Amino acid sequence: MRALIFVVAIVLLMAVVGWLRFTSDDGDPSVRVDTDKMKQDTSSLVETTKEAADGAANAIDRAAGNIDASIDREPVETNP
């Protein structure tokens, strides 16, 4: 039952995004998959993900540069 719900959810998502089209020309129902739109959308998603990853890496590098990495290695003396 879970598998069926998963498949239905994927098909609905593909239809909402525009990758899947249900048509009924002249009473002949058909399902068309727009592979060009899929390629275009996935390419833009990959590019956006790369830009986000690069931005995160740069932010981490900037934050790491702002950290004072000096550590006081001398033991702290306490008075008993």
Side-chain angles (χ1 to χ4, degrees):
M1 184 67 175
R2 290 181 187 174
L4 179 63
I5 293 171
F6 181 73
V7 169
V8 169
I10 294 295
V11 168
L12 286 174
L13 180 65
M14 289 176 71
V16 168
V17 173
W19 295 351
L20 207 64
R21 295 183 188 160
F22 301 99
T23 59
S24 180
D25 299 334
D26 301 328
D28 184 23
S30 64
V31 177
R32 296 180 191 249
V33 178
D34 191 353
T35 56
D36 291 333
K37 184 163 176 44
M38 289 175 79
K39 287 178 186 177
Q40 181 183 11
D41 290 348
T42 54
S43 294
S44 66
L45 180 65
V46 167
E47 187 63 33
T48 303
T49 304
K50 284 181 183 178
E51 290 173 3
D54 289 341
N58 290 337
I60 290 171
D61 288 341
R62 284 192 306 271
N66 293 336
I67 295 174
D68 184 12
S70 63
I71 298 175
D72 187 16
R73 300 211 182 254
E74 296 293 322
V76 176
E77 292 184 28
T78 59
N79 292 330

Coordinates of all heavy atoms in Angstrom, one line a residue:
M1 N 0.8 -1.2 0.0 CA 0.0 0.0 0.0 C 0.9 1.3 0.0 O 0.6 2.2 -0.7 CB -0.9 0.0 1.2 CG -1.9 1.1 1.3 SD -3.1 0.9 0.0 CE -4.1 2.3 0.4
R2 N 2.0 1.2 0.8 CA 2.9 2.4 0.8 C 3.5 2.6 -0.5 O 3.7 3.8 -0.9 CB 4.0 2.2 1.8 CG 3.5 2.2 3.3 CD 4.6 2.0 4.2 NE 4.1 1.9 5.6 CZ 4.9 1.6 6.6 NH1 6.1 1.4 6.4 NH2 4.3 1.5 7.8
A3 N 3.8 1.6 -1.2 CA 4.4 1.7 -2.6 C 3.5 2.4 -3.5 O 3.9 3.2 -4.3 CB 4.9 0.4 -3.1
L4 N 2.2 2.0 -3.5 CA 1.2 2.6 -4.3 C 1.0 4.1 -4.0 O 1.0 4.9 -5.0 CB -0.1 1.9 -4.2 CG -1.3 2.4 -5.0 CD1 -1.0 2.3 -6.5 CD2 -2.6 1.7 -4.7
I5 N 1.0 4.4 -2.8 CA 0.9 5.8 -2.4 C 2.1 6.6 -2.9 O 2.0 7.7 -3.4 CB 0.7 6.0 -0.9 CG1 -0.7 5.4 -0.5 CG2 0.8 7.4 -0.4 CD1 -0.9 5.3 1.0
F6 N 3.3 6.0 -2.7 CA 4.5 6.7 -3.2 C 4.5 6.9 -4.7 O 4.8 8.0 -5.2 CB 5.7 5.8 -2.8 CG 7.0 6.4 -3.2 CD1 7.6 7.4 -2.6 CD2 7.7 5.8 -4.3 CE1 8.8 8.0 -3.0 CE2 9.0 6.4 -4.7 CZ 9.5 7.4 -4.0
V7 N 4.1 5.9 -5.5 CA 4.0 6.0 -6.9 C 3.0 7.1 -7.3 O 3.2 8.0 -8.2 CB 3.7 4.7 -7.6 CG1 3.3 4.9 -9.1 CG2 4.8 3.7 -7.4
V8 N 1.8 7.1 -6.7 CA 0.8 8.1 -7.0 C 1.3 9.5 -6.6 O 1.1 10.5 -7.4 CB -0.5 7.8 -6.2 CG1 -1.5 9.0 -6.3 CG2 -1.2 6.6 -6.7
A9 N 2.0 9.7 -5.5 CA 2.6 11.0 -5.1 C 3.6 11.4 -6.2 O 3.6 12.6 -6.5 CB 3.2 10.9 -3.8
I10 N 4.5 10.5 -6.7 CA 5.5 10.9 -7.7 C 4.8 11.3 -9.0 O 5.2 12.3 -9.6 CB 6.4 9.7 -7.9 CG1 7.3 9.5 -6.7 CG2 7.3 10.0 -9.1 CD1 8.2 10.6 -6.3
V11 N 3.8 10.6 -9.4 CA 3.1 10.9 -10.6 C 2.4 12.3 -10.5 O 2.4 13.1 -11.4 CB 2.0 9.8 -11.0 CG1 1.1 10.3 -12.1 CG2 2.8 8.5 -11.4
L12 N 1.7 12.5 -9.3 CA 1.1 13.8 -9.1 C 2.1 15.0 -9.1 O 1.9 16.0 -9.7 CB 0.3 13.8 -7.8 CG -1.0 13.0 -7.8 CD1 -1.6 13.0 -6.4 CD2 -2.0 13.6 -8.8
L13 N 3.3 14.7 -8.5 CA 4.3 15.7 -8.4 C 4.8 16.0 -9.9 O 5.0 17.2 -10.2 CB 5.5 15.3 -7.5 CG 6.6 16.3 -7.4 CD1 6.2 17.5 -6.7 CD2 7.8 15.6 -6.7
M14 N 5.0 15.0 -10.6 CA 5.5 15.2 -12.0 C 4.4 16.0 -12.8 O 4.8 16.8 -13.7 CB 5.8 13.9 -12.7 CG 7.0 13.2 -12.1 SD 7.3 11.5 -12.8 CE 7.8 12.0 -14.5
A15 N 3.2 15.7 -12.6 CA 2.1 16.4 -13.3 C 2.0 17.9 -12.9 O 1.9 18.8 -13.7 CB 0.8 15.7 -13.1
V16 N 2.2 18.1 -11.6 CA 2.2 19.5 -11.1 C 3.3 20.3 -11.7 O 3.2 21.5 -12.1 CB 2.2 19.5 -9.6 CG1 2.4 20.9 -9.0 CG2 0.8 19.0 -9.1
V17 N 4.5 19.7 -11.7 CA 5.7 20.4 -12.2 C 5.6 20.6 -13.7 O 6.2 21.6 -14.2 CB 7.0 19.6 -11.8 CG1 8.2 20.2 -12.4 CG2 7.1 19.6 -10.3
G18 N 4.9 19.8 -14.4 CA 4.7 20.0 -15.8 C 5.5 19.0 -16.7 O 5.6 19.1 -17.9
W19 N 6.1 18.0 -16.0 CA 6.9 17.0 -16.7 C 6.0 15.9 -17.3 O 6.4 15.2 -18.2 CB 7.8 16.3 -15.8 CG 8.9 17.2 -15.2 CD1 9.2 18.4 -15.6 CD2 9.8 16.8 -14.2 NE1 10.2 18.9 -14.9 CE2 10.7 18.0 -14.0 CE3 10.1 15.7 -13.4 CZ2 11.7 18.0 -13.1 CZ3 11.1 15.8 -12.5 CH2 11.9 16.9 -12.3
L20 N 4.8 15.8 -16.8 CA 3.8 14.7 -17.3 C 2.5 15.4 -17.7 O 2.0 16.3 -17.0 CB 3.5 13.8 -16.1 CG 3.1 12.4 -16.4 CD1 4.3 11.6 -17.0 CD2 2.7 11.7 -15.1
R21 N 2.1 15.0 -18.9 CA 0.8 15.6 -19.4 C -0.1 14.5 -19.8 O 0.2 13.6 -20.5 CB 1.2 16.4 -20.7 CG 2.0 17.6 -20.4 CD 2.2 18.4 -21.6 NE 3.2 19.5 -21.4 CZ 3.9 20.1 -22.3 NH1 3.7 19.8 -23.6 NH2 4.7 21.0 -22.0
F22 N -1.4 14.7 -19.4 CA -2.4 13.8 -19.7 C -3.3 14.5 -20.7 O -3.8 15.6 -20.5 CB -3.3 13.5 -18.5 CG -2.5 12.8 -17.4 CD1 -2.0 13.6 -16.3 CD2 -2.2 11.5 -17.4 CE1 -1.3 13.0 -15.3 CE2 -1.5 10.9 -16.4 CZ -1.0 11.6 -15.3
T23 N -3.4 13.9 -21.9 CA -4.2 14.5 -23.0 C -5.2 13.5 -23.5 O -5.1 12.3 -23.3 CB -3.3 15.0 -24.1 OG1 -2.6 13.9 -24.7 CG2 -2.4 16.1 -23.7
S24 N -6.2 14.1 -24.2 CA -7.3 13.2 -24.7 C -7.7 13.8 -26.1 O -8.7 14.4 -26.3 CB -8.5 13.2 -23.8 OG -9.5 12.3 -24.4
D25 N -6.8 13.7 -27.1 CA -7.0 14.2 -28.4 C -7.9 13.2 -29.2 O -7.6 12.0 -29.3 CB -5.7 14.4 -29.2 CG -4.8 15.4 -28.5 OD1 -5.4 16.3 -27.8 OD2 -3.6 15.4 -28.7
D26 N -9.0 13.7 -29.7 CA -9.9 12.9 -30.5 C -10.4 11.6 -29.7 O -10.6 10.5 -30.3 CB -9.3 12.5 -31.8 CG -8.9 13.7 -32.6 OD1 -9.7 14.7 -32.5 OD2 -7.9 13.6 -33.4
G27 N -10.6 11.7 -28.4 CA -11.0 10.6 -27.6 C -10.0 9.5 -27.4 O -10.3 8.4 -26.9
D28 N -8.7 9.8 -27.8 CA -7.6 8.9 -27.6 C -6.8 9.4 -26.4 O -5.9 10.2 -26.6 CB -6.8 8.7 -28.8 CG -5.7 7.7 -28.7 OD1 -5.9 6.8 -27.9 OD2 -4.7 7.8 -29.5
P29 N -7.0 8.8 -25.2 CA -6.2 9.3 -24.0 C -4.8 8.9 -24.1 O -4.4 7.8 -24.6 CB -6.9 8.6 -22.8 CG -7.6 7.5 -23.4 CD -7.9 7.8 -24.8
S30 N -3.9 9.8 -23.7 CA -2.5 9.5 -23.8 C -1.8 10.3 -22.6 O -2.3 11.2 -22.1 CB -1.9 9.9 -25.1 OG -2.0 11.3 -25.3
V31 N -0.6 9.8 -22.3 CA 0.3 10.4 -21.3 C 1.6 10.7 -22.0 O 2.2 9.9 -22.7 CB 0.5 9.4 -20.1 CG1 1.4 10.0 -19.1 CG2 -0.8 9.0 -19.5
R32 N 2.0 12.0 -21.9 CA 3.2 12.4 -22.5 C 4.2 12.9 -21.4 O 3.8 13.6 -20.5 CB 3.0 13.5 -23.5 CG 2.1 13.1 -24.6 CD 1.9 14.2 -25.6 NE 0.8 13.9 -26.5 CZ 1.1 13.6 -27.8 NH1 2.3 13.8 -28.3 NH2 0.1 13.3 -28.6
V33 N 5.4 12.5 -21.6 CA 6.5 12.9 -20.7 C 7.4 13.9 -21.4 O 7.9 13.7 -22.5 CB 7.4 11.7 -20.2 CG1 8.5 12.2 -19.3 CG2 6.5 10.7 -19.5
D34 N 7.5 15.1 -20.8 CA 8.2 16.2 -21.4 C 9.7 16.1 -21.0 O 10.1 16.7 -20.0 CB 7.6 17.5 -21.1 CG 8.2 18.7 -21.9 OD1 9.2 18.5 -22.6 OD2 7.6 19.8 -21.7
T35 N 10.5 15.3 -21.7 CA 11.9 15.1 -21.3 C 12.7 16.4 -21.4 O 13.7 16.5 -20.6 CB 12.5 13.9 -22.1 OG1 12.4 14.3 -23.5 CG2 11.8 12.6 -21.8
D36 N 12.4 17.2 -22.4 CA 13.2 18.4 -22.5 C 13.0 19.3 -21.3 O 14.0 19.9 -20.8 CB 12.8 19.2 -23.7 CG 13.2 18.5 -25.0 OD1 14.2 17.7 -25.0 OD2 12.5 18.7 -26.1
K37 N 11.8 19.4 -20.8 CA 11.5 20.2 -19.6 C 12.2 19.6 -18.4 O 12.7 20.3 -17.5 CB 10.0 20.4 -19.3 CG 9.7 21.3 -18.1 CD 8.2 21.7 -18.2 CE 7.8 22.5 -17.0 NZ 8.7 23.5 -16.5
M38 N 12.2 18.3 -18.3 CA 12.8 17.6 -17.2 C 14.3 17.9 -17.2 O 14.9 18.2 -16.1 CB 12.6 16.1 -17.3 CG 11.2 15.6 -17.0 SD 11.0 13.9 -17.3 CE 11.7 13.2 -15.8
K39 N 15.0 17.8 -18.4 CA 16.4 18.1 -18.5 C 16.7 19.5 -18.1 O 17.7 19.8 -17.4 CB 16.9 17.8 -19.9 CG 17.0 16.4 -20.2 CD 17.4 16.2 -21.7 CE 17.4 14.7 -22.0 NZ 17.7 14.5 -23.5
Q40 N 15.9 20.5 -18.6 CA 16.1 21.9 -18.3 C 15.9 22.1 -16.8 O 16.8 22.8 -16.2 CB 15.1 22.7 -19.1 CG 15.2 24.2 -18.9 CD 14.2 25.0 -19.6 OE1 13.2 24.4 -20.1 NE2 14.3 26.3 -19.7
D41 N 14.9 21.6 -16.2 CA 14.6 21.8 -14.8 C 15.7 21.2 -13.9 O 16.2 21.8 -12.9 CB 13.3 21.3 -14.4 CG 12.1 22.1 -14.9 OD1 12.4 23.2 -15.4 OD2 11.0 21.6 -14.9
T42 N 16.1 20.0 -14.2 CA 17.2 19.3 -13.4 C 18.5 20.0 -13.6 O 19.3 20.1 -12.6 CB 17.3 17.8 -13.7 OG1 17.5 17.7 -15.1 CG2 16.1 17.1 -13.3
S43 N 18.8 20.5 -14.8 CA 20.1 21.3 -15.0 C 20.1 22.6 -14.2 O 21.1 22.9 -13.6 CB 20.2 21.6 -16.5 OG 20.4 20.5 -17.3
S44 N 19.0 23.3 -14.2 CA 18.9 24.5 -13.4 C 19.0 24.2 -11.9 O 19.6 24.9 -11.1 CB 17.7 25.3 -13.7 OG 16.5 24.6 -13.3
L45 N 18.4 23.1 -11.5 CA 18.5 22.6 -10.1 C 19.9 22.3 -9.7 O 20.4 22.7 -8.6 CB 17.5 21.5 -9.8 CG 17.5 20.9 -8.4 CD1 16.9 21.9 -7.4 CD2 16.7 19.6 -8.3
V46 N 20.6 21.6 -10.5 CA 22.0 21.2 -10.3 C 22.8 22.5 -10.2 O 23.7 22.6 -9.3 CB 22.5 20.3 -11.4 CG1 24.0 20.2 -11.3 CG2 21.9 18.9 -11.2
E47 N 22.6 23.5 -11.1 CA 23.4 24.7 -11.1 C 23.1 25.5 -9.8 O 24.0 26.0 -9.1 CB 23.1 25.5 -12.3 CG 23.9 26.8 -12.4 CD 25.4 26.5 -12.7 OE1 25.7 25.4 -13.3 OE2 26.2 27.2 -12.2
T48 N 21.9 25.6 -9.4 CA 21.5 26.3 -8.2 C 22.1 25.6 -6.9 O 22.6 26.3 -6.0 CB 20.0 26.3 -8.0 OG1 19.4 26.9 -9.2 CG2 19.6 27.1 -6.8
T49 N 22.1 24.3 -6.9 CA 22.7 23.5 -5.8 C 24.2 23.8 -5.7 O 24.8 24.0 -4.7 CB 22.4 22.0 -6.0 OG1 21.0 21.9 -6.1 CG2 23.0 21.2 -4.8
K50 N 24.9 23.8 -6.9 CA 26.3 24.1 -6.9 C 26.6 25.5 -6.4 O 27.6 25.7 -5.6 CB 26.9 24.0 -8.4 CG 27.0 22.5 -8.8 CD 27.6 22.5 -10.2 CE 27.7 21.1 -10.8 NZ 28.3 21.1 -12.1
E51 N 25.8 26.5 -6.8 CA 26.0 27.8 -6.3 C 25.8 27.9 -4.8 O 26.5 28.6 -4.1 CB 25.1 28.8 -7.1 CG 25.4 29.0 -8.5 CD 24.4 29.8 -9.3 OE1 23.4 30.3 -8.6 OE2 24.6 30.0 -10.5
A52 N 24.8 27.2 -4.3 CA 24.5 27.2 -2.9 C 25.7 26.6 -2.1 O 26.1 27.0 -1.0 CB 23.2 26.5 -2.6
A53 N 26.2 25.5 -2.6 CA 27.3 24.8 -2.0 C 28.5 25.6 -2.0 O 29.3 25.7 -1.0 CB 27.5 23.4 -2.7
D54 N 28.8 26.3 -3.1 CA 30.0 27.2 -3.1 C 29.8 28.3 -2.2 O 30.8 28.7 -1.5 CB 30.2 27.7 -4.6 CG 30.6 26.7 -5.5 OD1 31.2 25.6 -5.1 OD2 30.5 26.9 -6.8
G55 N 28.6 28.9 -2.1 CA 28.3 30.0 -1.1 C 28.5 29.5 0.3 O 29.1 30.2 1.1
A56 N 28.1 28.3 0.6 CA 28.2 27.8 2.0 C 29.7 27.5 2.3 O 30.2 27.8 3.4 CB 27.4 26.5 2.1
A57 N 30.4 27.0 1.3 CA 31.9 26.8 1.5 C 32.6 28.1 1.7 O 33.5 28.2 2.6 CB 32.5 26.0 0.3
N58 N 32.3 29.1 1.0 CA 32.9 30.4 1.2 C 32.6 31.0 2.5 O 33.4 31.6 3.2 CB 32.5 31.4 0.0 CG 33.1 31.0 -1.3 OD1 34.1 30.4 -1.4 ND2 32.4 31.5 -2.4
A59 N 31.3 30.9 3.0 CA 30.9 31.4 4.3 C 31.7 30.6 5.4 O 32.1 31.3 6.4 CB 29.4 31.2 4.5
I60 N 31.9 29.3 5.2 CA 32.6 28.6 6.2 C 34.1 29.0 6.2 O 34.7 29.2 7.3 CB 32.5 27.1 5.9 CG1 31.1 26.6 6.2 CG2 33.5 26.3 6.7 CD1 30.8 25.2 5.8
D61 N 34.6 29.3 5.0 CA 36.0 29.7 5.0 C 36.2 31.1 5.6 O 37.2 31.3 6.4 CB 36.5 29.8 3.5 CG 36.7 28.4 2.9 OD1 36.9 27.4 3.7 OD2 36.8 28.3 1.7
R62 N 35.2 32.0 5.4 CA 35.3 33.3 6.0 C 35.1 33.2 7.5 O 35.8 33.9 8.3 CB 34.2 34.2 5.5 CG 34.5 34.8 4.1 CD 33.5 35.9 3.7 NE 32.1 35.5 3.8 CZ 31.4 34.9 2.9 NH1 31.9 34.7 1.7 NH2 30.1 34.6 3.1
A63 N 34.2 32.3 8.0 CA 34.0 32.2 9.4 C 35.3 31.6 10.1 O 35.7 31.9 11.2 CB 32.8 31.3 9.7
A64 N 35.9 30.6 9.4 CA 37.1 30.0 9.9 C 38.3 31.0 10.0 O 39.1 30.9 10.9 CB 37.5 28.8 9.1
G65 N 38.3 31.9 9.0 CA 39.3 32.9 9.1 C 39.2 33.9 10.2 O 40.1 34.5 10.7
N66 N 37.9 34.1 10.7 CA 37.7 35.0 11.8 C 37.9 34.4 13.2 O 37.9 35.1 14.2 CB 36.2 35.5 11.7 CG 36.0 36.4 10.5 OD1 36.9 37.0 10.0 ND2 34.7 36.4 10.0
I67 N 38.1 33.1 13.2 CA 38.4 32.5 14.5 C 39.8 32.6 14.9 O 40.7 32.4 14.1 CB 38.0 31.0 14.4 CG1 36.5 30.8 14.1 CG2 38.4 30.2 15.7 CD1 36.1 29.4 13.9
D68 N 40.0 33.0 16.1 CA 41.4 33.1 16.7 C 41.8 31.7 17.1 O 41.3 31.2 18.1 CB 41.4 34.1 17.8 CG 42.8 34.3 18.3 OD1 43.8 33.9 17.7 OD2 43.0 35.0 19.4
A69 N 42.7 31.2 16.4 CA 43.1 29.8 16.6 C 44.2 29.7 17.6 O 44.8 28.6 17.9 CB 43.5 29.1 15.3
S70 N 44.7 30.8 18.2 CA 45.7 30.7 19.2 C 45.2 30.1 20.5 O 44.2 30.4 21.0 CB 46.3 32.0 19.5 OG 45.4 32.9 20.0
I71 N 46.0 29.1 21.0 CA 45.6 28.4 22.2 C 46.7 28.6 23.2 O 47.9 28.4 22.9 CB 45.4 26.9 22.0 CG1 44.2 26.7 21.0 CG2 45.1 26.2 23.3 CD1 44.1 25.2 20.6
D72 N 46.3 29.0 24.4 CA 47.3 29.2 25.5 C 47.6 27.8 26.0 O 46.8 27.1 26.6 CB 46.6 30.1 26.6 CG 47.7 30.4 27.6 OD1 48.9 30.3 27.4 OD2 47.2 30.8 28.7
R73 N 48.9 27.4 25.8 CA 49.3 26.1 26.1 C 50.0 26.1 27.5 O 50.4 25.0 27.9 CB 50.3 25.6 25.1 CG 49.6 25.5 23.7 CD 50.1 24.4 22.9 NE 49.5 24.3 21.6 CZ 48.6 23.4 21.2 NH1 48.2 22.5 22.1 NH2 48.1 23.5 20.0
E74 N 50.1 27.2 28.1 CA 50.7 27.2 29.5 C 49.6 26.8 30.5 O 48.4 27.1 30.4 CB 51.1 28.6 29.8 CG 52.2 29.1 28.9 CD 53.5 28.4 29.2 OE1 53.8 28.0 30.3 OE2 54.2 28.1 28.1
P75 N 50.0 25.9 31.4 CA 49.0 25.5 32.4 C 48.6 26.6 33.3 O 49.4 27.5 33.6 CB 49.8 24.4 33.2 CG 51.2 24.7 33.0 CD 51.3 25.3 31.6
V76 N 47.4 26.6 33.7 CA 46.9 27.6 34.6 C 47.2 27.2 36.0 O 46.9 26.1 36.5 CB 45.4 27.8 34.4 CG1 44.8 28.8 35.4 CG2 45.0 28.1 33.0
E77 N 47.8 28.2 36.7 CA 48.2 27.9 38.1 C 47.0 28.3 39.0 O 46.4 29.4 38.9 CB 49.4 28.7 38.5 CG 50.7 28.2 37.8 CD 51.9 28.9 38.3 OE1 51.9 29.4 39.4 OE2 52.8 29.0 37.5
T78 N 46.8 27.5 40.0 CA 45.7 27.8 40.9 C 46.3 27.9 42.3 O 47.3 27.1 42.7 CB 44.6 26.7 40.9 OG1 45.2 25.5 41.2 CG2 43.9 26.7 39.6
N79 N 45.9 28.7 43.1 CA 46.4 28.8 44.5 C 45.5 28.0 45.4 O 44.3 28.2 45.5 CB 46.3 30.3 45.0 CG 47.3 31.1 44.2 OD1 48.3 30.6 43.8 ND2 47.0 32.4 44.1
P80 N 46.1 27.0 46.1 CA 45.4 26.2 47.0 C 44.9 26.8 48.3 O 45.2 27.8 48.8 CB 46.3 25.0 47.3 CG 47.6 25.3 46.8 CD 47.5 26.6 46.0

